[in-house]
Amino acid sequence: MKKLLKLLLLFLFAIIIYQSFIFIKEYPGSADLVDYEINTETLPTELHPIVAEKVEILKEKTLEKKITILITDDYRSFEEQDKLYDKGRKTPGKVVTYMEGGESYHNFGLAVDFALQLENGNVIWDTEYDGNGNGQSDWFEVAEIAKELGFQWGGDWSGFKDYPHLQMDFGLTINDLQKGKRPKYPS
């Protein structure tokens, strides 16, 4: 009886391990799936094609819910990032970022910022606005759709909440990107 119980436990353990590998393989945020290349020669100058494709899908899916979004920022050079960082510090205005040039996923073509666009063309950053009248914040509806598409949302961050921010890091940290690791481009 003890042998049978041991075999059964071993079998269950094997199934759990197998299922874990399947989960890791299929989970889009898994660092084990990172397919990257080293490129210390050049920096990206535009959105990564997978990020750009997912942004277009996000626009389509939000329109289906009668929500129009506007991408207010995407790829950003180190210089542009430094200018934003200076706001509220060296130049007048409110602090809008805590990342200097080279410290943001925008600088590597892996992030976008969005806002809501009203029918009259006005752009708003109101996280409580319910323009489609379904009793839910349009902003949070957009964030949920984005997360389903594989984006990470700045509104989920524990410290500074960056509600307009969406990024795909492909399992790479800023440190990885600074060292020249880049997500591979689709072939």
Side-chain angles (χ1 to χ4, degrees):
M1 184 66 175
K2 282 188 176 184
K3 251 187 179 181
L4 183 60
L5 186 57
K6 280 184 181 179
L7 281 174
L8 182 60
L9 287 174
L10 185 60
F11 178 73
L12 288 173
F13 180 73
I15 288 175
I16 290 169
I17 296 296
Y18 177 73
Q19 291 293 332
S20 297
F21 283 118
I22 290 173
F23 173 78
I24 289 170
K25 184 177 179 189
E26 292 182 7
Y27 181 64
S30 173
D32 295 335
L33 290 178
V34 176
D35 192 13
Y36 65 87
E37 58 194 1
I38 303 293
N39 181 349
T40 56
E41 302 295 314
T42 59
L43 287 166
T45 57
E46 60 188 14
L47 278 182
H48 188 281
I50 292 173
V51 176
E53 177 185 347
K54 296 292 184 165
V55 165
E56 292 308 312
I57 294 169
L58 176 65
K59 289 178 182 178
E60 292 169 13
K61 288 190 173 286
T62 56
L63 269 178
E64 290 171 9
K65 291 190 171 256
K66 300 188 183 339
I67 301 170
T68 303
I69 62 168
L70 177 71
I71 301 303
T72 58
D73 210 356
D74 52 22
Y75 164 79
R76 220 183 271 146
S77 71
F78 285 23
E79 294 78 20
E80 291 169 313
Q81 186 72 34
D82 284 337
K83 283 182 185 174
L84 277 180
Y85 181 81
D86 287 346
K87 275 190 176 181
R89 293 178 179 88
K90 295 179 183 176
T91 60
K94 184 178 167 185
V95 170
V96 294
T97 185
Y98 292 93
M99 304 299 158
E100 294 184 71
E103 297 177 348
S104 170
Y105 284 97
H106 285 281
N107 303 143
F108 300 95
L110 303 177
V112 298
D113 293 333
F114 75 94
L116 302 175
Q117 187 168 25
L118 306 179
E119 285 184 25
N120 65 8
N122 288 345
V123 178
I124 62 170
W125 286 264
D126 182 350
T127 59
E128 295 179 19
Y129 179 75
D130 179 20
N132 61 5
N134 66 355
Q136 300 174 33
S137 156
D138 290 356
W139 201 276
F140 288 92
E141 286 185 79
V142 172
E144 284 307 310
I145 295 167
K147 290 191 283 187
E148 289 169 9
L149 292 171
F151 284 99
Q152 294 141 356
W153 178 46
D156 287 333
W157 294 347
S158 58
F160 169 70
K161 302 279 188 191
D162 191 353
Y163 291 103
H165 185 85
L166 302 169
Q167 70 184 36
M168 288 187 158
D169 63 21
F170 298 90
L172 297 171
T173 65
I174 288 294
N175 192 33
D176 290 334
L177 294 165
Q178 290 169 338
K179 289 179 180 176
K181 289 183 180 179
R182 306 282 181 265
K184 282 196 176 175
Y185 278 54
S187 38

